[in-house]
């Protein structure tokens, strides 16, 4: 629950998170920080953009007490700034 963190669902495959890191860094590189107008007092504008791409929440169906995922899917937490305490909110809606 922070503007520079993300929650996403994907396969837990070898190298995938590294590939995401490289891809996101190409889309919104951290440096030079002077390229961003948002960097006032902090240099985390790239983290805001990375979070926007990856999303802030996931919606997951549950059937008979189990998450309805594909074989290798998992929920992941993406941290793009890392300087603040974070908290996670899990909300269950239904019967």
């Amino acid at each position: 629950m922070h503007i520079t963190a993300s929650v996403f669902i994907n396969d837990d495959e070898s190298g995938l998170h590294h590939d995401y890191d490289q891809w996101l860094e190409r889309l919104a590189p951290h440096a030079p920080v002077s390229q961003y107008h948002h960097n006032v007092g902090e240099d985390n504008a790239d983290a805001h953009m990375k979070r926007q791409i990856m999303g802030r929440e996931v919606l997951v169906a549950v059937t008979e007490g189990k998450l309805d995922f594909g074989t290798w899917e998992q929920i992941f937490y993406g941290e793009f700034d890392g300087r603040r305490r974070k908290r996670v909110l899990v909300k269950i809606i239904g019967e």
Side-chain angles (χ1 to χ4, degrees), residues 8-14 16-17 67-76:
F8 60 97
I9 297 174
N10 209 312
D11 289 348
D12 188 16
E13 296 177 344
S14 176
L16 183 58
H17 293 240
L67 300 174
D68 284 330
F69 279 166
T71 304
W72 295 280
E73 285 184 320
Q74 292 186 26
I75 298 174
F76 295 98

Short mmCIF file of all heavy atoms in Angstrom, two decimals, residues 8-14 16-17 67-76:
data_model
loop_
_atom_site.label_atom_id
_atom_site.label_comp_id
_atom_site.label_asym_id
_atom_site.label_seq_id
_atom_site.Cartn_x
_atom_site.Cartn_y
_atom_site.Cartn_z
N PHE A 8 1.56 -8.04 -8.27
CA PHE A 8 1.20 -8.58 -9.58
C PHE A 8 1.22 -10.10 -9.54
O PHE A 8 1.80 -10.71 -8.66
CB PHE A 8 2.15 -8.05 -10.66
CG PHE A 8 3.59 -8.39 -10.46
CD1 PHE A 8 4.16 -9.49 -11.09
CD2 PHE A 8 4.40 -7.61 -9.64
CE1 PHE A 8 5.50 -9.80 -10.91
CE2 PHE A 8 5.74 -7.92 -9.44
CZ PHE A 8 6.29 -9.02 -10.09
N ILE A 9 0.55 -10.69 -10.50
CA ILE A 9 0.51 -12.15 -10.63
C ILE A 9 1.23 -12.52 -11.92
O ILE A 9 1.02 -11.91 -12.96
CB ILE A 9 -0.95 -12.66 -10.71
CG1 ILE A 9 -1.69 -12.35 -9.43
CG2 ILE A 9 -0.97 -14.17 -11.01
CD1 ILE A 9 -3.17 -12.68 -9.48
N ASN A 10 2.10 -13.51 -11.80
CA ASN A 10 2.77 -14.04 -12.98
C ASN A 10 3.36 -15.39 -12.63
O ASN A 10 3.28 -15.83 -11.49
CB ASN A 10 3.85 -13.08 -13.49
CG ASN A 10 4.04 -13.21 -14.99
OD1 ASN A 10 4.16 -14.29 -15.52
ND2 ASN A 10 4.04 -12.07 -15.67
N ASP A 11 3.95 -16.02 -13.61
CA ASP A 11 4.60 -17.30 -13.38
C ASP A 11 5.87 -17.10 -12.57
O ASP A 11 6.56 -16.08 -12.70
CB ASP A 11 4.97 -17.97 -14.71
CG ASP A 11 3.75 -18.48 -15.45
OD1 ASP A 11 2.65 -18.50 -14.86
OD2 ASP A 11 3.89 -18.85 -16.62
N ASP A 12 6.17 -18.05 -11.73
CA ASP A 12 7.41 -18.03 -10.95
C ASP A 12 8.47 -18.80 -11.73
O ASP A 12 8.83 -19.92 -11.37
CB ASP A 12 7.18 -18.65 -9.57
CG ASP A 12 8.38 -18.47 -8.67
OD1 ASP A 12 9.23 -17.63 -8.97
OD2 ASP A 12 8.44 -19.16 -7.64
N GLU A 13 8.92 -18.22 -12.82
CA GLU A 13 9.89 -18.86 -13.70
C GLU A 13 11.27 -18.26 -13.51
O GLU A 13 11.41 -17.06 -13.26
CB GLU A 13 9.48 -18.71 -15.16
CG GLU A 13 8.19 -19.42 -15.50
CD GLU A 13 7.76 -19.20 -16.93
OE1 GLU A 13 8.28 -18.28 -17.60
OE2 GLU A 13 6.89 -19.95 -17.39
N SER A 14 12.28 -19.07 -13.64
CA SER A 14 13.65 -18.63 -13.49
C SER A 14 13.97 -17.46 -14.43
O SER A 14 13.70 -17.53 -15.63
CB SER A 14 14.59 -19.81 -13.79
OG SER A 14 15.92 -19.40 -13.72
N LEU A 16 12.58 -14.56 -14.74
CA LEU A 16 11.50 -13.65 -15.12
C LEU A 16 11.58 -12.32 -14.36
O LEU A 16 11.42 -11.25 -14.94
CB LEU A 16 10.14 -14.31 -14.90
CG LEU A 16 8.92 -13.49 -15.31
CD1 LEU A 16 8.98 -13.12 -16.79
CD2 LEU A 16 7.64 -14.26 -15.01
N HIS A 17 11.87 -12.37 -13.07
CA HIS A 17 11.94 -11.14 -12.28
C HIS A 17 13.13 -10.29 -12.72
O HIS A 17 13.03 -9.06 -12.78
CB HIS A 17 12.02 -11.46 -10.79
CG HIS A 17 10.75 -12.06 -10.29
ND1 HIS A 17 9.99 -11.49 -9.31
CD2 HIS A 17 10.08 -13.18 -10.67
CE1 HIS A 17 8.92 -12.23 -9.10
NE2 HIS A 17 8.96 -13.27 -9.91
N LEU A 67 -6.61 -20.72 -4.25
CA LEU A 67 -6.49 -19.68 -5.26
C LEU A 67 -6.62 -20.30 -6.65
O LEU A 67 -6.04 -21.34 -6.92
CB LEU A 67 -5.13 -18.98 -5.14
CG LEU A 67 -4.84 -18.29 -3.81
CD1 LEU A 67 -3.41 -17.77 -3.79
CD2 LEU A 67 -5.82 -17.17 -3.55
N ASP A 68 -7.40 -19.66 -7.51
CA ASP A 68 -7.56 -20.13 -8.88
C ASP A 68 -6.43 -19.59 -9.75
O ASP A 68 -6.57 -18.57 -10.43
CB ASP A 68 -8.92 -19.69 -9.45
CG ASP A 68 -10.06 -20.51 -8.92
OD1 ASP A 68 -9.85 -21.68 -8.59
OD2 ASP A 68 -11.18 -19.97 -8.84
N PHE A 69 -5.32 -20.26 -9.70
CA PHE A 69 -4.12 -19.86 -10.45
C PHE A 69 -3.76 -20.91 -11.48
O PHE A 69 -4.12 -22.08 -11.34
CB PHE A 69 -2.92 -19.71 -9.51
CG PHE A 69 -2.87 -18.42 -8.75
CD1 PHE A 69 -2.02 -18.30 -7.68
CD2 PHE A 69 -3.64 -17.34 -9.10
CE1 PHE A 69 -1.93 -17.11 -6.97
CE2 PHE A 69 -3.57 -16.15 -8.40
CZ PHE A 69 -2.71 -16.05 -7.34
N GLY A 70 -2.97 -20.48 -12.45
CA GLY A 70 -2.35 -21.43 -13.36
C GLY A 70 -1.29 -22.22 -12.60
O GLY A 70 -0.93 -21.89 -11.47
N THR A 71 -0.74 -23.20 -13.24
CA THR A 71 0.19 -24.12 -12.59
C THR A 71 1.35 -23.41 -11.90
O THR A 71 1.71 -23.77 -10.78
CB THR A 71 0.74 -25.12 -13.64
OG1 THR A 71 -0.38 -25.77 -14.25
CG2 THR A 71 1.65 -26.14 -13.00
N TRP A 72 1.95 -22.43 -12.54
CA TRP A 72 3.15 -21.79 -11.98
C TRP A 72 2.90 -20.37 -11.45
O TRP A 72 3.82 -19.69 -11.03
CB TRP A 72 4.27 -21.75 -13.03
CG TRP A 72 4.74 -23.11 -13.39
CD1 TRP A 72 5.61 -23.90 -12.68
CD2 TRP A 72 4.35 -23.87 -14.53
NE1 TRP A 72 5.78 -25.10 -13.30
CE2 TRP A 72 5.02 -25.12 -14.46
CE3 TRP A 72 3.50 -23.65 -15.60
CZ2 TRP A 72 4.87 -26.12 -15.41
CZ3 TRP A 72 3.35 -24.65 -16.57
CH2 TRP A 72 4.03 -25.86 -16.45
N GLU A 73 1.67 -19.92 -11.48
CA GLU A 73 1.38 -18.55 -11.07
C GLU A 73 1.48 -18.36 -9.56
O GLU A 73 1.16 -19.25 -8.79
CB GLU A 73 -0.02 -18.14 -11.53
CG GLU A 73 -0.11 -17.85 -13.00
CD GLU A 73 -1.48 -17.36 -13.38
OE1 GLU A 73 -2.48 -17.87 -12.86
OE2 GLU A 73 -1.55 -16.44 -14.21
N GLN A 74 1.91 -17.15 -9.20
CA GLN A 74 1.99 -16.74 -7.81
C GLN A 74 1.72 -15.23 -7.74
O GLN A 74 1.78 -14.53 -8.74
CB GLN A 74 3.37 -17.03 -7.22
CG GLN A 74 3.66 -18.50 -7.08
CD GLN A 74 4.98 -18.72 -6.36
OE1 GLN A 74 5.43 -17.90 -5.58
NE2 GLN A 74 5.60 -19.86 -6.62
N ILE A 75 1.48 -14.75 -6.54
CA ILE A 75 1.35 -13.32 -6.31
C ILE A 75 2.72 -12.80 -5.89
O ILE A 75 3.38 -13.38 -5.02
CB ILE A 75 0.32 -13.01 -5.20
CG1 ILE A 75 -1.06 -13.51 -5.61
CG2 ILE A 75 0.29 -11.52 -4.89
CD1 ILE A 75 -2.11 -13.39 -4.52
N PHE A 76 3.15 -11.71 -6.50
CA PHE A 76 4.46 -11.13 -6.21
C PHE A 76 4.32 -9.68 -5.76
O PHE A 76 3.38 -8.98 -6.15
CB PHE A 76 5.36 -11.17 -7.45
CG PHE A 76 5.70 -12.56 -7.88
CD1 PHE A 76 4.99 -13.17 -8.89
CD2 PHE A 76 6.72 -13.26 -7.25
CE1 PHE A 76 5.30 -14.46 -9.28
CE2 PHE A 76 7.03 -14.54 -7.63
CZ PHE A 76 6.32 -15.14 -8.65
#
